[in-house]
Amino acid sequence: MKIDGVKGDPIDGVEIIRKRVIADERGNIFHMLKSTDPEFSSFGEIYFSSGYPDVVKAWHIHKEMTLNNFCVSGMIKLVMYDGRESSPTKGALTEVFMGDQNRLLVKIPPGITNGYKAFGDKLAILANCATMPHDPNELIYIDPFDNDIPYDWSVKHG
């Protein structure tokens, strides 16, 4: 199924779920994740990451943690790269444009290289409902610009 705001190749294990917005004259309500959702697996912690427009916050890989990313405010480009040696989608790259204008939840399994860049005219806030509490020993950081990942963070025209 094609989802608006998603470009690139599917990555094995990644789930992208459109979230419903319930709007009326007072504002709106949208859910990020409920324990009754089929994509919910377990709860470890919820944290928020903010990014200023055009700032790249990448790359990282979680060895054990599954991420459930949802842009609460603003807009981001979430990018995922499958560098897992044994994956049937090794080398696949996916961009997801999400936030105020496109309410998506992205479930990212362990081992997927990922990061994001905020865009637009305001601070973006990304929520992550992680399956385990933060553990710096299960996280791998990769320089966003000096690496072997075939991705250019600049704006693509056309």
Side-chain angles (χ1 to χ4, degrees):
M1 171 176 68
K2 174 98 172 95
I3 298 176
D4 289 339
V6 178
K7 296 181 180 180
D9 303 312
I11 295 176
D12 185 51
V14 170
E15 295 178 51
I16 302 171
I17 300 100
R18 176 152 316 282
K19 301 308 271 190
R20 186 170 73 122
V21 177
I22 304 162
D24 65 24
E25 64 192 85
R26 299 167 298 163
N28 59 57
I29 295 171
F30 45 89
H31 294 111
M32 175 181 167
L33 187 63
K34 298 184 286 189
S35 63
T36 54
D37 287 342
E39 61 273 10
F40 179 80
S41 55
S42 65
F43 175 77
E45 71 176 9
I46 294 176
Y47 66 85
F48 300 90
S49 171
S50 64
Y52 292 108
D54 300 321
V55 173
V56 174
K57 295 185 88 171
W59 295 99
H60 62 274
I61 303 167
H62 287 276
K63 299 178 208 173
E64 301 172 36
M65 181 188 292
T66 295
L67 311 175
N68 289 285
N69 284 338
F70 186 85
C71 186
V72 177
S73 181
M75 290 293 293
I76 68 165
K77 173 174 62 172
L78 173 69
V79 182
M80 296 169 285
Y81 173 71
D82 191 352
R84 300 171 296 177
E85 289 300 324
S86 61
S87 173
T89 56
K90 182 175 177 7
L93 192 72
T94 304
E95 294 176 311
V96 180
F97 297 85
M98 57 195 280
D100 292 341
Q101 299 166 32
N102 197 26
R103 295 288 180 203
L104 300 172
L105 174 73
V106 181
K107 183 175 184 176
I108 306 171
I112 300 295
T113 306
N114 67 93
Y116 75 92
K117 179 172 97 169
F119 65 92
D121 61 355
K122 68 178 186 178
L123 180 79
I125 301 173
L126 177 71
N128 179 28
C129 182
T131 57
M132 59 185 284
H134 176 73
D135 176 358
N137 295 317
E138 73 87 43
L139 188 59
I140 300 168
Y141 290 101
I142 301 170
D143 185 283
F145 305 106
D146 185 16
N147 57 65
D148 294 330
I149 299 165
Y151 190 73
D152 177 0
W153 286 99
S154 62
V155 174
K156 288 140 185 88
H157 299 278

